[in-house]
Every structure is written in C-alpha cells, then in structure tokens.
Amino acid sequence: VQLQASGGGLVQPGGSLRLSCAASNSPYRIDNMGWYRQAPGKQRELVADITTYGHVNYGGGMKGRFDISRDNANNTVWLVADGLKPEDSGVYYCKVDLKLTWSQTRPYWGQGTQVTVSS
C-alpha cells in the first residue's frame, strides 16, 4: 500500500491549509480515511476521519475549523482549514483502514507531512 500525501509546509497565522492523500497499490478495499496530527511533546490526535458513505468524525475542538472530504473512486482524502493558529502546527498523518474482511480492518499510516504555522 502506498499513501502519497501532499500539501503542508509553512503557513502564516490566519492562513489556509490543504492536504491531500492518495492511497494506491492496496490489495484490500479502503474503508475509513482520515487525518491525525502530532505536535512536539504531545500525543497523536484525531483531526477528522470519513467513512466511504461520507460520515465524518471530528476530533475534539476540530469541528468548524477543519473540513475533510474524499473521492472513493480514486481513494483520495483531503483536509482543508482556514484561520490556522500556531497551535495547529505539527506533523499531519494520513491514515486509512484496509478492509481485510467484512468485519476486520487494519490501519495503515502515511509518513506524515509537517505543517508549521508561524510568521
């Protein structure tokens, strides 16, 4: 399985973020897709994830600030946000759940992309 992420980098406070992640070469169907982030010295936390039906689950404090969407046909997920703050800085990880069987999934993580919100 390959997860190709793009976006991130240096963002001005109050600026916008757009991340994308495309899954390919998977021998399994892709189930949920999502984004997590990890700031230095902190635990990795959920930003948002989305089911194949488009149902979205947001992490604490993320709803209204981040928006997630996906393209099932191309196994691609996007994360967008406006009004970024320095505390949004961190490594953003794409995660997909591989559908092993009708009842069993396995998480697969991308390498992570750095987002730094700073002037």
Side-chain angles (χ1 to χ4, degrees):
V1 181
Q2 289 181 310
L3 295 181
Q4 183 65 48
S6 63
L10 181 63
V11 181
Q12 296 278 334
S16 300
L17 173 72
R18 181 177 174 87
L19 303 177
S20 68
C21 176
S24 61
N25 297 328
S26 174
Y28 305 101
R29 279 179 44 219
I30 303 297
D31 200 4
N32 291 3
M33 304 181 81
W35 291 93
Y36 288 70
R37 71 183 186 186
Q38 187 167 21
K42 294 188 176 181
Q43 288 191 327
R44 192 174 297 187
E45 62 177 345
L46 171 69
V47 178
D49 63 21
I50 183 169
T51 71
T52 55
Y53 299 102
H55 177 76
V56 178
N57 178 41
Y58 290 98
M62 305 298 178
K63 191 173 184 178
R65 302 186 56 238
F66 292 88
D67 191 22
I68 189 170
S69 59
R70 66 184 285 173
D71 176 352
N72 290 335
N74 293 300
N75 289 323
T76 301
V77 62
W78 294 273
L79 182 72
V80 296
D82 295 314
L84 289 180
K85 306 172 185 178
E87 51 263 41
D88 293 315
S89 298
V91 179
Y92 282 68
Y93 295 92
C94 174
K95 171 185 166 281
V96 300
D97 290 328
L98 307 179
K99 190 79 170 178
L100 303 183
T101 68
W102 69 272
S103 62
Q104 195 175 15
T105 60
R106 177 191 299 166
Y108 192 87
W109 293 88
Q111 298 280 359
T113 184
Q114 177 70 45
V115 174
T116 302
V117 184
S118 174
S119 55

